[in-house]
PDB file of all heavy atoms in Angstrom:
ATOM      1  N   HIS A 225      -4.053-144.251 101.911  1.00  0.00           N
ATOM      2  CA  HIS A 225      -3.392-144.729 103.133  1.00  0.00           C
ATOM      3  C   HIS A 225      -3.374-146.251 103.199  1.00  0.00           C
ATOM      4  O   HIS A 225      -2.380-146.848 103.629  1.00  0.00           O
ATOM      5  CB  HIS A 225      -4.049-144.120 104.377  1.00  0.00           C
ATOM      6  CG  HIS A 225      -3.725-142.673 104.534  1.00  0.00           C
ATOM      7  ND1 HIS A 225      -2.498-142.238 104.970  1.00  0.00           N
ATOM      8  CD2 HIS A 225      -4.458-141.566 104.272  1.00  0.00           C
ATOM      9  CE1 HIS A 225      -2.480-140.922 104.986  1.00  0.00           C
ATOM     10  NE2 HIS A 225      -3.655-140.487 104.566  1.00  0.00           N
ATOM     11  N   ALA A 226      -4.453-146.892 102.760  1.00  0.00           N
ATOM     12  CA  ALA A 226      -4.495-148.360 102.741  1.00  0.00           C
ATOM     13  C   ALA A 226      -3.452-148.900 101.764  1.00  0.00           C
ATOM     14  O   ALA A 226      -2.746-149.869 102.066  1.00  0.00           O
ATOM     15  CB  ALA A 226      -5.894-148.849 102.356  1.00  0.00           C
ATOM     16  N   PHE A 227      -3.323-148.273 100.582  1.00  0.00           N
ATOM     17  CA  PHE A 227      -2.321-148.698  99.616  1.00  0.00           C
ATOM     18  C   PHE A 227      -0.917-148.514 100.184  1.00  0.00           C
ATOM     19  O   PHE A 227      -0.060-149.374 100.033  1.00  0.00           O
ATOM     20  CB  PHE A 227      -2.465-147.924  98.304  1.00  0.00           C
ATOM     21  CG  PHE A 227      -1.347-148.203  97.339  1.00  0.00           C
ATOM     22  CD1 PHE A 227      -1.281-149.424  96.679  1.00  0.00           C
ATOM     23  CD2 PHE A 227      -0.346-147.273  97.120  1.00  0.00           C
ATOM     24  CE1 PHE A 227      -0.232-149.705  95.805  1.00  0.00           C
ATOM     25  CE2 PHE A 227       0.696-147.539  96.250  1.00  0.00           C
ATOM     26  CZ  PHE A 227       0.750-148.759  95.596  1.00  0.00           C
ATOM     27  N   SER A 228      -0.673-147.399 100.852  1.00  0.00           N
ATOM     28  CA  SER A 228       0.629-147.128 101.448  1.00  0.00           C
ATOM     29  C   SER A 228       0.989-148.192 102.486  1.00  0.00           C
ATOM     30  O   SER A 228       2.116-148.696 102.510  1.00  0.00           O
ATOM     31  CB  SER A 228       0.629-145.737 102.088  1.00  0.00           C
ATOM     32  OG  SER A 228       1.895-145.433 102.627  1.00  0.00           O
ATOM     33  N   ARG A 229       0.028-148.548 103.329  1.00  0.00           N
ATOM     34  CA  ARG A 229       0.271-149.604 104.338  1.00  0.00           C
ATOM     35  C   ARG A 229       0.554-150.939 103.659  1.00  0.00           C
ATOM     36  O   ARG A 229       1.456-151.676 104.060  1.00  0.00           O
ATOM     37  CB  ARG A 229      -0.919-149.730 105.283  1.00  0.00           C
ATOM     38  CG  ARG A 229      -0.996-148.625 106.315  1.00  0.00           C
ATOM     39  CD  ARG A 229      -2.048-148.908 107.386  1.00  0.00           C
ATOM     40  NE  ARG A 229      -3.373-149.198 106.847  1.00  0.00           N
ATOM     41  CZ  ARG A 229      -4.274-148.274 106.534  1.00  0.00           C
ATOM     42  NH1 ARG A 229      -4.003-146.995 106.692  1.00  0.00           N
ATOM     43  NH2 ARG A 229      -5.454-148.626 106.068  1.00  0.00           N
ATOM     44  N   PHE A 230      -0.215-151.258 102.614  1.00  0.00           N
ATOM     45  CA  PHE A 230       0.002-152.507 101.888  1.00  0.00           C
ATOM     46  C   PHE A 230       1.395-152.537 101.271  1.00  0.00           C
ATOM     47  O   PHE A 230       2.128-153.513 101.418  1.00  0.00           O
ATOM     48  CB  PHE A 230      -1.056-152.697 100.795  1.00  0.00           C
ATOM     49  CG  PHE A 230      -0.722-153.798  99.837  1.00  0.00           C
ATOM     50  CD1 PHE A 230      -0.864-155.129 100.223  1.00  0.00           C
ATOM     51  CD2 PHE A 230      -0.239-153.527  98.570  1.00  0.00           C
ATOM     52  CE1 PHE A 230      -0.532-156.166  99.356  1.00  0.00           C
ATOM     53  CE2 PHE A 230       0.093-154.547  97.698  1.00  0.00           C
ATOM     54  CZ  PHE A 230      -0.056-155.868  98.088  1.00  0.00           C
ATOM     55  N   LEU A 231       1.778-151.469 100.573  1.00  0.00           N
ATOM     56  CA  LEU A 231       3.079-151.426  99.911  1.00  0.00           C
ATOM     57  C   LEU A 231       4.215-151.538 100.930  1.00  0.00           C
ATOM     58  O   LEU A 231       5.174-152.277 100.720  1.00  0.00           O
ATOM     59  CB  LEU A 231       3.218-150.143  99.089  1.00  0.00           C
ATOM     60  CG  LEU A 231       4.446-150.051  98.200  1.00  0.00           C
ATOM     61  CD1 LEU A 231       4.468-151.188  97.177  1.00  0.00           C
ATOM     62  CD2 LEU A 231       4.484-148.706  97.491  1.00  0.00           C
ATOM     63  N   SER A 232       4.105-150.830 102.045  1.00  0.00           N
ATOM     64  CA  SER A 232       5.122-150.919 103.102  1.00  0.00           C
ATOM     65  C   SER A 232       5.251-152.345 103.616  1.00  0.00           C
ATOM     66  O   SER A 232       6.353-152.872 103.750  1.00  0.00           O
ATOM     67  CB  SER A 232       4.766-150.000 104.273  1.00  0.00           C
ATOM     68  OG  SER A 232       4.829-148.661 103.896  1.00  0.00           O
ATOM     69  N   SER A 233       4.122-152.961 103.910  1.00  0.00           N
ATOM     70  CA  SER A 233       4.130-154.335 104.435  1.00  0.00           C
ATOM     71  C   SER A 233       4.672-155.315 103.411  1.00  0.00           C
ATOM     72  O   SER A 233       5.455-156.205 103.741  1.00  0.00           O
ATOM     73  CB  SER A 233       2.712-154.753 104.842  1.00  0.00           C
ATOM     74  OG  SER A 233       2.238-153.943 105.880  1.00  0.00           O
ATOM     75  N   LEU A 234       4.257-155.161 102.160  1.00  0.00           N
ATOM     76  CA  LEU A 234       4.706-156.060 101.099  1.00  0.00           C
ATOM     77  C   LEU A 234       6.220-155.996 100.929  1.00  0.00           C
ATOM     78  O   LEU A 234       6.900-157.020 100.931  1.00  0.00           O
ATOM     79  CB  LEU A 234       4.014-155.712  99.779  1.00  0.00           C
ATOM     80  CG  LEU A 234       4.514-156.467  98.546  1.00  0.00           C
ATOM     81  CD1 LEU A 234       4.233-157.957  98.670  1.00  0.00           C
ATOM     82  CD2 LEU A 234       3.882-155.892  97.289  1.00  0.00           C
ATOM     83  N   LEU A 235       6.756-154.796 100.784  1.00  0.00           N
ATOM     84  CA  LEU A 235       8.189-154.658 100.521  1.00  0.00           C
ATOM     85  C   LEU A 235       9.048-155.070 101.712  1.00  0.00           C
ATOM     86  O   LEU A 235      10.187-155.495 101.533  1.00  0.00           O
ATOM     87  CB  LEU A 235       8.511-153.231 100.083  1.00  0.00           C
ATOM     88  CG  LEU A 235       7.916-152.835  98.731  1.00  0.00           C
ATOM     89  CD1 LEU A 235       8.189-151.374  98.434  1.00  0.00           C
ATOM     90  CD2 LEU A 235       8.431-153.723  97.611  1.00  0.00           C
ATOM     91  N   ALA A 236       8.509-154.976 102.911  1.00  0.00           N
ATOM     92  CA  ALA A 236       9.265-155.346 104.107  1.00  0.00           C
ATOM     93  C   ALA A 236       9.105-156.822 104.485  1.00  0.00           C
ATOM     94  O   ALA A 236       9.827-157.312 105.350  1.00  0.00           O
ATOM     95  CB  ALA A 236       8.843-154.464 105.275  1.00  0.00           C
ATOM     96  N   ALA A 237       8.186-157.537 103.849  1.00  0.00           N
ATOM     97  CA  ALA A 237       7.896-158.924 104.221  1.00  0.00           C
ATOM     98  C   ALA A 237       9.002-159.865 103.741  1.00  0.00           C
ATOM     99  O   ALA A 237       9.166-160.065 102.537  1.00  0.00           O
ATOM    100  CB  ALA A 237       6.552-159.359 103.635  1.00  0.00           C
ATOM    101  N   PRO A 238       9.751-160.476 104.667  1.00  0.00           N
ATOM    102  CA  PRO A 238      10.832-161.369 104.263  1.00  0.00           C
ATOM    103  C   PRO A 238      10.341-162.683 103.664  1.00  0.00           C
ATOM    104  O   PRO A 238      11.076-163.333 102.929  1.00  0.00           O
ATOM    105  CB  PRO A 238      11.590-161.616 105.569  1.00  0.00           C
ATOM    106  CG  PRO A 238      10.574-161.410 106.632  1.00  0.00           C
ATOM    107  CD  PRO A 238       9.648-160.343 106.119  1.00  0.00           C
ATOM    108  N   HIS A 239       9.110-163.053 103.943  1.00  0.00           N
ATOM    109  CA  HIS A 239       8.578-164.323 103.447  1.00  0.00           C
ATOM    110  C   HIS A 239       7.926-164.194 102.074  1.00  0.00           C
ATOM    111  O   HIS A 239       7.425-165.175 101.537  1.00  0.00           O
ATOM    112  CB  HIS A 239       7.577-164.893 104.460  1.00  0.00           C
ATOM    113  CG  HIS A 239       6.358-164.038 104.617  1.00  0.00           C
ATOM    114  ND1 HIS A 239       6.368-162.872 105.350  1.00  0.00           N
ATOM    115  CD2 HIS A 239       5.115-164.165 104.130  1.00  0.00           C
ATOM    116  CE1 HIS A 239       5.176-162.338 105.313  1.00  0.00           C
ATOM    117  NE2 HIS A 239       4.387-163.096 104.572  1.00  0.00           N
ATOM    118  N   VAL A 240       7.935-162.983 101.499  1.00  0.00           N
ATOM    119  CA  VAL A 240       7.363-162.772 100.178  1.00  0.00           C
ATOM    120  C   VAL A 240       8.489-162.360  99.231  1.00  0.00           C
ATOM    121  O   VAL A 240       9.138-161.341  99.432  1.00  0.00           O
ATOM    122  CB  VAL A 240       6.273-161.677 100.197  1.00  0.00           C
ATOM    123  CG1 VAL A 240       5.696-161.469  98.802  1.00  0.00           C
ATOM    124  CG2 VAL A 240       5.166-162.019 101.195  1.00  0.00           C
ATOM    125  N   VAL A 241       8.713-163.167  98.203  1.00  0.00           N
ATOM    126  CA  VAL A 241       9.716-162.861  97.189  1.00  0.00           C
ATOM    127  C   VAL A 241       9.060-161.954  96.148  1.00  0.00           C
ATOM    128  O   VAL A 241       8.028-162.308  95.582  1.00  0.00           O
ATOM    129  CB  VAL A 241      10.245-164.152  96.523  1.00  0.00           C
ATOM    130  CG1 VAL A 241      11.192-163.821  95.382  1.00  0.00           C
ATOM    131  CG2 VAL A 241      10.915-165.044  97.559  1.00  0.00           C
ATOM    132  N   LYS A 242       9.633-160.768  95.941  1.00  0.00           N
ATOM    133  CA  LYS A 242       9.110-159.809  94.992  1.00  0.00           C
ATOM    134  C   LYS A 242       9.980-159.813  93.743  1.00  0.00           C
ATOM    135  O   LYS A 242      11.189-159.649  93.835  1.00  0.00           O
ATOM    136  CB  LYS A 242       9.098-158.394  95.594  1.00  0.00           C
ATOM    137  CG  LYS A 242       7.978-158.094  96.576  1.00  0.00           C
ATOM    138  CD  LYS A 242       8.108-158.703  97.933  1.00  0.00           C
ATOM    139  CE  LYS A 242       9.245-158.168  98.767  1.00  0.00           C
ATOM    140  NZ  LYS A 242       9.329-158.755 100.109  1.00  0.00           N
ATOM    141  N   LEU A 243       9.362-160.011  92.574  1.00  0.00           N
ATOM    142  CA  LEU A 243      10.069-160.044  91.299  1.00  0.00           C
ATOM    143  C   LEU A 243       9.531-158.940  90.396  1.00  0.00           C
ATOM    144  O   LEU A 243       8.341-158.658  90.406  1.00  0.00           O
ATOM    145  CB  LEU A 243       9.845-161.372  90.581  1.00  0.00           C
ATOM    146  CG  LEU A 243      10.365-162.636  91.227  1.00  0.00           C
ATOM    147  CD1 LEU A 243       9.914-163.850  90.427  1.00  0.00           C
ATOM    148  CD2 LEU A 243      11.866-162.589  91.316  1.00  0.00           C
ATOM    149  N   GLY A 244      10.422-158.366  89.605  1.00  0.00           N
ATOM    150  CA  GLY A 244       9.990-157.378  88.633  1.00  0.00           C
ATOM    151  C   GLY A 244      11.070-157.159  87.595  1.00  0.00           C
ATOM    152  O   GLY A 244      12.238-157.463  87.832  1.00  0.00           O
ATOM    153  N   PHE A 245      10.678-156.648  86.465  1.00  0.00           N
ATOM    154  CA  PHE A 245      11.615-156.303  85.398  1.00  0.00           C
ATOM    155  C   PHE A 245      11.978-154.841  85.596  1.00  0.00           C
ATOM    156  O   PHE A 245      11.110-153.980  85.537  1.00  0.00           O
ATOM    157  CB  PHE A 245      10.973-156.530  84.027  1.00  0.00           C
ATOM    158  CG  PHE A 245      11.910-156.289  82.885  1.00  0.00           C
ATOM    159  CD1 PHE A 245      12.790-157.281  82.488  1.00  0.00           C
ATOM    160  CD2 PHE A 245      11.932-155.071  82.228  1.00  0.00           C
ATOM    161  CE1 PHE A 245      13.666-157.066  81.438  1.00  0.00           C
ATOM    162  CE2 PHE A 245      12.799-154.854  81.175  1.00  0.00           C
ATOM    163  CZ  PHE A 245      13.675-155.849  80.785  1.00  0.00           C
ATOM    164  N   GLN A 246      13.248-154.562  85.850  1.00  0.00           N
ATOM    165  CA  GLN A 246      13.726-153.230  86.207  1.00  0.00           C
ATOM    166  C   GLN A 246      12.910-152.671  87.372  1.00  0.00           C
ATOM    167  O   GLN A 246      12.406-151.555  87.361  1.00  0.00           O
ATOM    168  CB  GLN A 246      13.713-152.304  84.992  1.00  0.00           C
ATOM    169  CG  GLN A 246      14.653-152.802  83.907  1.00  0.00           C
ATOM    170  CD  GLN A 246      14.731-151.900  82.687  1.00  0.00           C
ATOM    171  OE1 GLN A 246      13.830-151.137  82.399  1.00  0.00           O
ATOM    172  NE2 GLN A 246      15.834-152.013  81.970  1.00  0.00           N
ATOM    173  N   LEU A 247      12.807-153.490  88.413  1.00  0.00           N
ATOM    174  CA  LEU A 247      11.977-153.212  89.584  1.00  0.00           C
ATOM    175  C   LEU A 247      12.380-151.917  90.286  1.00  0.00           C
ATOM    176  O   LEU A 247      11.519-151.149  90.710  1.00  0.00           O
ATOM    177  CB  LEU A 247      12.039-154.397  90.552  1.00  0.00           C
ATOM    178  CG  LEU A 247      11.182-154.316  91.798  1.00  0.00           C
ATOM    179  CD1 LEU A 247       9.711-154.139  91.453  1.00  0.00           C
ATOM    180  CD2 LEU A 247      11.378-155.570  92.650  1.00  0.00           C
ATOM    181  N   ALA A 248      13.653-151.647  90.412  1.00  0.00           N
ATOM    182  CA  ALA A 248      14.099-150.422  91.079  1.00  0.00           C
ATOM    183  C   ALA A 248      13.550-149.186  90.373  1.00  0.00           C
ATOM    184  O   ALA A 248      13.111-148.233  91.015  1.00  0.00           O
ATOM    185  CB  ALA A 248      15.623-150.368  91.144  1.00  0.00           C
ATOM    186  N   GLY A 249      13.547-149.216  89.057  1.00  0.00           N
ATOM    187  CA  GLY A 249      13.006-148.095  88.292  1.00  0.00           C
ATOM    188  C   GLY A 249      11.514-147.923  88.509  1.00  0.00           C
ATOM    189  O   GLY A 249      11.018-146.796  88.640  1.00  0.00           O
ATOM    190  N   ASP A 250      10.787-149.026  88.544  1.00  0.00           N
ATOM    191  CA  ASP A 250       9.346-148.952  88.798  1.00  0.00           C
ATOM    192  C   ASP A 250       9.068-148.380  90.180  1.00  0.00           C
ATOM    193  O   ASP A 250       8.184-147.540  90.357  1.00  0.00           O
ATOM    194  CB  ASP A 250       8.697-150.333  88.664  1.00  0.00           C
ATOM    195  CG  ASP A 250       8.382-150.712  87.226  1.00  0.00           C
ATOM    196  OD1 ASP A 250       8.744-149.950  86.303  1.00  0.00           O
ATOM    197  OD2 ASP A 250       7.776-151.780  87.033  1.00  0.00           O
TER     198      ASP A 250
END
């Protein structure tokens, strides 16, 4: 549940730029 809350907050945070290689697939 803590990981789920973190992931939700991270992906929704407009002030955090998320980068990944083929990120949608991951």
Side-chain angles (χ1 to χ4, degrees):
H225 288 285
F227 173 73
S228 182
R229 284 190 306 274
F230 168 75
L231 188 60
S232 293
S233 297
L234 173 64
L235 294 175
H239 65 283
V240 180
V241 175
K242 283 74 67 178
L243 296 174
F245 184 83
Q246 297 182 336
L247 183 58
D250 278 5

